[in-house]
Amino acid sequence: MKKYEQMQKHKPKDFKRHIGVNEETFNAMIEVFRQYDENRKKGLGVGGRRSLSPEK
């Protein structure tokens, strides 16, 4: 099970303590990353090796 999935079962205070940001902020960051990754796969993003990955 991914760490993110495990953290969703915890209280918001514990989520922030382990991840470093509130769950709402984290979800917003993931949405921005997914848009970036989608554009990158279409060839509209930056070239080179992939240094970011979705939540784990």
Side-chain angles (χ1 to χ4, degrees):
M1 183 176 273
K2 295 179 181 179
K3 181 178 180 181
Y4 173 68
E5 291 171 351
Q6 291 174 342
M7 290 308 302
Q8 285 183 320
K9 297 176 184 176
H10 293 315
K11 296 177 184 177
K13 187 176 181 180
D14 291 333
F15 185 93
K16 184 173 181 178
R17 184 181 309 150
H18 288 11
I19 303 297
V21 295
N22 291 325
E23 190 171 359
E24 296 82 24
T25 304
F26 183 78
N27 290 333
M29 291 168 31
I30 292 300
E31 184 59 35
V32 169
F33 175 76
R34 286 185 179 151
Q35 291 172 0
Y36 160 80
D37 197 42
E38 184 178 310
N39 287 338
R40 188 179 184 289
K41 288 178 183 177
K42 291 179 183 176
L44 302 175
V46 180
R49 208 177 343 158
R50 189 174 172 176
S51 60
L52 297 173
S53 63
E55 69 278 3
K56 288 189 179 191

